[in-house]
Amino acid sequence: MESWSVDQVCNWLRQRNLGELVSKFREEEVSGAALLALNDRMVQQLVKKIGHQAVLMDLINKYHQQNSGLQSLTCYCGTASPKFTEAISGKNMKSFLARYKTLQWTSSYALPDFPYDVKCVLAEKKCPDHSMRIRIIEFLQADMTKYLKGSLYPNSQQYNIVVNALLQAYPFLNEGGNGFLLWKRALKDRFKYVRRLIEDDEQVLRNKCKFGHRRGQSRKPVSAEKKPLDIKLRIEEEPACVDGRVMDAHIDWLKREYLKAQRDWEEVDSRMRVTVGVRRKMIRDKAPLKEVLRLFPFLRCPYQLFREFQLLTHMDIYKKTVEILETYSENILSLHVVRNNPINIMLQENLKLHAEEDVLKGMKMTAACLLLPEVFGEDAALFAAVNEEVTVATPVLTVRNPFSVSACAFAVCVEREELARLDACAPALAALVAAFHVFDIPWPRGLRSTLAFL
């Protein structure tokens, strides 16, 4: 471009839909060298329209960036043999540049800052359990997507880079020499899972077309003997569409059944599964929560709330929450930051009154749950109201007499109204997390670290 004449610059402008600038560029005799020397002030004097200014500066900056990349490549290959120089010329240059970008990505990659619970497990230098492995993979996948500027299609070398970085930082994850293949496979599977959840995304559709999948093409039928378990689950979780009258009949039945003392839970499960599409559309369209609960009152039942969460995320939120509280309650209660907290003081006083192991364990889990915002330095009022009135509209726990064996009571409130009552801390905490996700409620700014940990 530096050697271009004024005519060549004008042709370049026409190719980029900037033909209106040709006469001005001819008048000012802007050659290729002059074009590359333009700065913001010169462009403002030369071009009147702000849109044209932005496009022109963007094209010039991109050329400079590409040119600097080629210069660094020249330095890198300066001592290469003539055969090597010939090999990267012509048609091979595009693939070589792509590989060079990968090398740049390699040199800049660093492991993400894992959340608190992951750090605790890794600090023990023990192989994590299945749920913790999933947590690590989820954060690695999210971090890779950030480095790839939103792309969900890493290449093999980029998978290798991330897994190598993980195993170098934590050698005990190598698991007898087989760790590399296991972690790489898990990371690939995670990307496949994320891509499957956004099958309507334009990038996913483009890549499907690139690799031979046409829009609207149906999958080949799978025989019953060879049908994988995950396909069976998807079929069960994604019921066929039904017309409006049938859907109304399902909703009316659910409302009537909710009022009964003895409920047909098997039929409730079936009809809640059939109507999941209607609920999700209402929630996505920001329908009032009261209207959603009026049509689907079973979402007030903790079991159905957990089940809805599992349909959306494929995770047993209750089981996950119990594991978190059992694993970290002792560590949380031993932290210096919570030592003088009224919740911890109340716990210590009540521990002296009981000797049963189950009772003591339940009290410690309750205290650890209520102290979570304190651990992360966040607003406890956004998380739980202990013997107080609810003051926030987002989902919040209400707890009465948390350490009383006979009088303790837990509930989850949304928009200052009670959503569900629960009999213990662990299911109450699971219901709180599920409520945010099921009703698509953004996390409060002052509670993000706590909810991210959960």
Side-chain angles (χ1 to χ4, degrees):
M1 185 180 283
E2 293 180 7
S3 60
W4 283 2
S5 64
V6 175
D7 289 337
Q8 288 175 313
V9 171
C10 292
N11 290 332
W12 178 79
L13 291 173
R14 293 190 188 96
Q15 292 172 3
R16 282 152 183 80
N17 298 321
L18 296 174
E20 297 179 21
L21 307 180
V22 168
S23 60
K24 188 66 176 177
F25 271 60
R26 285 190 182 279
E27 180 184 344
E28 299 293 338
E29 297 184 356
V30 179
S31 63
L35 176 65
L36 295 177
L38 292 176
N39 56 32
D40 292 343
R41 183 179 57 81
M42 295 177 183
V43 170
Q44 289 173 6
Q45 293 178 350
L46 190 64
V47 181
K48 298 305 179 185
K49 292 184 179 179
I50 295 178
H52 289 166
Q53 292 175 11
V55 172
L56 185 61
M57 286 305 301
D58 182 60
L59 291 171
I60 294 172
N61 290 334
K62 284 182 178 178
Y63 177 82
H64 283 305
Q65 291 173 3
Q66 182 180 3
N67 192 44
S68 62
L70 289 172
Q71 287 176 355
S72 61
L73 274 175
T74 303
C75 295
Y76 176 76
C77 304
T79 58
S81 65
K83 290 183 178 180
F84 178 78
T85 306
E86 182 181 353
I88 65 170
S89 62
K91 295 182 179 179
N92 292 330
M93 180 58 74
K94 185 176 180 180
S95 61
F96 187 82
L97 287 173
R99 180 170 177 79
Y100 177 69
K101 288 182 179 179
T102 301
L103 293 174
Q104 285 184 317
W105 189 85
T106 306
S107 61
S108 63
Y109 182 76
L111 286 174
D113 185 19
F114 290 116
Y116 175 76
D117 59 330
V118 177
K119 288 180 180 178
C120 291
V121 172
L122 294 176
E124 296 175 357
K125 296 185 177 181
K126 295 180 181 178
C127 291
D129 59 15
H130 178 69
S131 61
M132 189 54 62
R133 289 173 66 92
I134 293 175
R135 289 271 289 160
I136 294 172
I137 289 296
E138 286 175 350
F139 273 84
L140 288 177
Q141 179 268 317
D143 193 59
M144 285 182 70
T145 303
K146 178 190 71 174
Y147 268 86
L148 295 168
K149 299 180 180 180
S151 172
L152 296 176
Y153 291 88
N155 58 37
S156 182
Q157 185 174 1
Q158 288 164 342
Y159 282 121
N160 294 343
I161 292 163
V162 175
V163 176
N164 277 326
L166 179 69
L167 297 185
Q168 287 177 7
Y170 307 103
F172 57 90
L173 296 178
N174 199 14
E175 301 178 14
N178 297 322
F180 180 86
L181 295 177
L182 294 175
W183 286 99
K184 183 177 178 180
R185 170 51 58 189
L187 196 53
K188 282 187 172 183
D189 290 343
R190 177 64 189 174
F191 270 98
K192 289 180 181 178
Y193 174 74
V194 173
R195 291 195 293 265
R196 182 172 65 81
L197 293 181
I198 56 168
E199 287 183 346
D200 293 333
D201 184 81
E202 190 62 31
Q203 181 193 8
V204 177
L205 292 174
R206 283 198 303 270
N207 280 276
K208 281 187 172 183
C209 294
K210 178 180 177 181
F211 294 107
H213 181 96
R214 298 181 180 178
R215 295 192 183 210
Q217 181 181 7
S218 59
R219 296 184 179 181
K220 294 180 180 180
V222 183
S223 63
E225 295 80 6
K226 298 182 180 180
K227 188 179 295 181
L229 178 60
D230 63 328
I231 294 181
K232 291 181 181 179
L233 290 174
R234 261 181 276 156
I235 291 172
E236 292 178 359
E237 295 166 4
E238 299 173 6
C241 295
V242 294
D243 61 47
R245 288 176 298 178
V246 175
M247 191 64 67
D248 290 341
H250 286 307
I251 293 173
D252 290 340
W253 186 91
L254 288 168
K255 290 192 291 185
R256 292 194 305 270
E257 191 70 10
Y258 183 75
L259 300 175
K260 296 181 181 179
Q262 299 293 329
R263 297 161 179 166
D264 184 351
W265 286 108
E266 186 175 349
E267 186 64 19
V268 169
D269 290 349
S270 175
R271 294 182 186 248
M272 287 291 285
R273 184 172 63 248
V274 170
T275 56
V276 65
V278 176
R279 285 195 301 282
R280 300 323 305 165
K281 186 177 188 307
M282 289 182 66
I283 292 170
R284 284 196 303 269
D285 294 343
K286 305 301 180 184
L289 180 63
K290 290 182 179 179
E291 181 65 13
V292 176
L293 294 176
R294 184 184 70 83
L295 297 179
F296 302 100
F298 278 99
L299 288 179
R300 295 181 179 275
C301 301
Y303 165 73
Q304 287 297 333
L305 193 62
F306 298 158
R307 192 170 179 276
E308 189 92 353
F309 184 92
Q310 190 165 11
L311 285 175
L312 297 173
T313 65
H314 304 276
M315 179 189 294
D316 186 338
I317 184 61
Y318 173 65
K319 180 180 178 181
K320 179 72 173 177
T321 304
V322 172
E323 289 176 356
I324 289 174
L325 290 178
E326 289 180 345
T327 303
Y328 298 108
S329 57
E330 293 288 349
N331 291 338
I332 292 171
L333 296 175
S334 64
L335 293 174
H336 179 75
V337 70
V338 304
R339 185 169 300 172
N340 297 322
N341 188 283
I343 296 292
N344 199 13
I345 295 173
M346 193 187 310
L347 169 68
Q348 300 305 324
E349 292 175 353
N350 281 272
L351 288 177
K352 300 174 184 177
L353 304 177
H354 301 276
E356 299 88 347
E357 184 176 348
D358 291 342
V359 173
L360 298 178
K361 180 180 178 181
M363 287 183 176
K364 290 180 179 180
M365 289 173 62
T366 300
C369 167
L370 299 177
L371 290 170
L372 274 175
E374 188 76 16
V375 172
F376 294 99
E378 295 187 319
D379 188 356
L382 297 173
F383 185 74
V386 182
N387 296 328
E388 296 176 353
E389 295 298 322
V390 176
T391 59
V392 296
T394 52
V396 65
L397 288 177
T398 60
V399 187
R400 299 287 182 268
N401 308 310
F403 303 115
S404 171
V405 176
S406 58
C408 64
F410 299 87
V412 173
C413 290
V414 183
E415 296 181 355
R416 298 185 180 88
E417 294 188 7
E418 187 176 280
L419 174 70
R421 293 185 182 182
L422 303 107
D423 57 0
C425 174
L429 182 57
L432 176 70
V433 177
F436 275 103
H437 197 87
V438 168
F439 298 114
D440 196 20
I441 299 173
W443 293 352
R445 184 179 297 274
L447 203 61
R448 289 179 179 175
S449 297
T450 303
L451 292 173
F453 167 76
L454 293 170

